[in-house]
Amino acid sequence: MTLPTEDVLDLHAFAPKEIPSVVEEYIEQCREAEISEVRLIHGKGTGTQRAVVQHLLGGHPGVISFTDAPPEAGGWGATIVRLRTSES
């Protein structure tokens, strides 16, 4: 799967069942590109996608930390993720 290697990924374009594999692949591509912080846009809705994404991030060895985005960047409809790179 080829995903854009930039610091924002909007997950609305993917089916819910694809989200775990998409997030995994995106994290690996960003780490290879030495991107240390990304924003995953999962939307607010019922909070289900947010829970899926944050559960996955919580167990990922390439993730240093994650938090809800600030209000101007999507609030709890997006998650900011700090990634391990070769320098961290």
Side-chain angles (χ1 to χ4, degrees), residues 1-3 9-27 40 42 49 52-53 56:
M1 175 182 322
T2 303
L3 298 166
L9 179 63
D10 188 342
L11 297 171
H12 287 99
F14 302 96
K17 67 181 180 184
E18 297 175 316
I19 299 300
S21 62
V22 168
V23 170
E24 285 273 350
E25 182 65 27
Y26 176 68
I27 288 171
L40 298 173
H42 40 70
Q49 287 293 31
V52 167
V53 167
L56 176 77

Side-chain angles (χ1 to χ4, degrees), residues 2-68:
T2 303
L3 298 166
T5 306
E6 50 192 33
D7 63 352
V8 177
L9 179 63
D10 188 342
L11 297 171
H12 287 99
F14 302 96
K17 67 181 180 184
E18 297 175 316
I19 299 300
S21 62
V22 168
V23 170
E24 285 273 350
E25 182 65 27
Y26 176 68
I27 288 171
E28 290 313 311
Q29 287 180 15
C30 288
R31 291 182 65 212
E32 288 173 14
E34 299 293 318
I35 297 172
S36 61
E37 186 174 285
V38 297
R39 181 168 55 117
L40 298 173
I41 302 170
H42 40 70
K44 294 181 179 174
T46 63
T48 302
Q49 287 293 31
R50 175 180 173 267
V52 167
V53 167
Q54 292 189 353
H55 177 74
L56 176 77
L57 296 173
H60 197 289
V63 173
I64 295 172
S65 65
F66 61 91
T67 187
D68 289 340

